[in-house]
Amino acid sequence: MSHLEDHPAAANDPARVIIVEDDERLRAYAKGALTAAEDIAVVGDAGTLAEGLELVRLMPDLALLDLGLPDGSGIRVIEAIRATVPACKVLVFTVFEDRASVLGTLKAGADGYILKDTTADMVLAHVRATLAGETPISARAAGHLLSLVRDEPVAETSEADAPHLSPRERELLEYLARGLSRKEAARVMNLSPYTVAEYVQGIYRKLHVKSRGEAVFEAIQAKLIRIDRE
């Protein structure tokens, strides 16, 4: 594990990023993709869960992490971040091999999902998009995610117990579940980005969640959205 600095960033400093990935080659690849960017500083990297948990104290702005670490699940890093650095974004670097990990990651509140064969330029683009408040999910990653969730048993929820989402809120959440960004959803729905932002906040409030991953997870469990609609 390497630490580059231990102090919080000032307002105009580069975004602070940590990388948690057990494959040394992939970790170096991701680090190389980000270190050349002036607006990003990789402040630490790790190859195990234990080391990754230590990096949380560096107060990062974004964590790029793998789920399948040799000594445990990367979901524990997400949980630690949500507990201690709630403003930190989480971008999962994955191969989507394990259904339980994917669903657990959704519930834990990851902000984006990219596959490990993503090009260096796109890794940088996805990190920047996540920092800007978007939720990048590559087309292939969205396909993997939806196919896994589609086959997952859904908990029974009565109509009386289910949160009430308006038809437009449900439509927006379906688009977000498919991997569209807010801007893309606004264009498809013929709405302004401001209106979409208001819908998103309404969805989060009604579902008692703080991220798109949590919103999608809760909506699927409550049968509020159909993710297999063409």
Side-chain angles (χ1 to χ4, degrees), residues 190-225:
N190 196 28
L191 297 173
S192 72
Y194 178 78
T195 300
V196 165
E198 286 190 328
Y199 279 147
V200 168
Q201 290 308 310
I203 291 168
Y204 286 6
R205 184 176 62 256
K206 291 176 181 180
L207 297 181
H208 305 291
V209 299
K210 296 181 180 180
S211 73
R212 171 155 86 167
E214 289 178 293
V216 171
F217 180 87
E218 295 297 337
I220 290 169
Q221 291 296 97
K223 297 184 179 180
L224 293 173
I225 61 174

Side-chain angles (χ1 to χ4, degrees), residues 136-151:
I137 303 178
S138 68
R140 284 181 56 208
H144 281 288
L145 177 63
L146 296 184
S147 66
L148 287 170
V149 177
R150 185 179 298 122
D151 295 335

Side-chain angles (χ1 to χ4, degrees), residues 74-88:
I75 290 174
R76 287 187 56 193
V77 178
I78 300 177
E79 293 170 345
I81 287 170
R82 291 290 170 248
T84 60
V85 199
C88 177

Side-chain angles (χ1 to χ4, degrees), residues 13-201:
D13 283 350
R16 299 165 60 82
V17 174
I18 61 172
I19 300 172
V20 184
E21 164 62 60
D22 65 316
D23 186 312
E24 291 185 11
R25 181 184 61 82
L26 283 172
R27 189 164 73 248
Y29 175 76
K31 190 173 180 179
L34 301 179
T35 51
E38 294 184 356
D39 56 331
I40 292 172
V42 178
V43 297
D45 62 276
T48 67
L49 171 61
E51 293 174 344
L53 291 171
E54 288 185 24
L55 292 183
V56 175
R57 70 178 177 80
L58 298 180
M59 306 298 287
D61 297 302
L62 180 141
L64 178 64
L65 68 97
D66 184 15
L67 297 176
L69 300 172
D71 54 339
S73 172
I75 290 174
R76 287 187 56 193
V77 178
I78 300 177
E79 293 170 345
I81 287 170
R82 291 290 170 248
T84 60
V85 199
C88 177
K89 303 292 186 180
V90 176
L91 185 57
V92 171
F93 202 35
T94 184
V95 291
F96 286 88
E97 292 180 341
D98 183 88
R99 176 185 281 110
S101 293
V102 174
L103 291 173
T105 304
L106 267 175
K107 191 172 184 179
D111 296 288
Y113 308 82
I114 60 174
L115 299 181
K116 289 188 176 181
D117 59 358
T118 301
T119 65
D121 286 347
M122 287 307 299
V123 169
L124 176 58
H126 288 322
V127 165
R128 284 174 168 158
T130 306
L131 287 165
E134 296 292 342
T135 306
I137 303 178
S138 68
R140 284 181 56 208
H144 281 288
L145 177 63
L146 296 184
S147 66
L148 287 170
V149 177
R150 185 179 298 122
D151 295 335
E152 186 70 11
V154 178
E156 291 299 326
T157 304
S158 70
E159 288 294 324
D161 294 335
H164 174 73
L165 298 184
S166 71
R168 290 295 259 175
E169 287 173 335
R170 291 190 186 205
E171 181 183 2
L172 172 59
L173 193 50
E174 287 180 8
Y175 285 130
L176 297 181
R178 291 168 177 270
L180 271 67
S181 69
R182 292 187 187 186
K183 290 181 181 178
E184 291 168 334
R187 185 168 60 251
V188 171
M189 297 176 69
N190 196 28
L191 297 173
S192 72
Y194 178 78
T195 300
V196 165
E198 286 190 328
Y199 279 147
V200 168
Q201 290 308 310

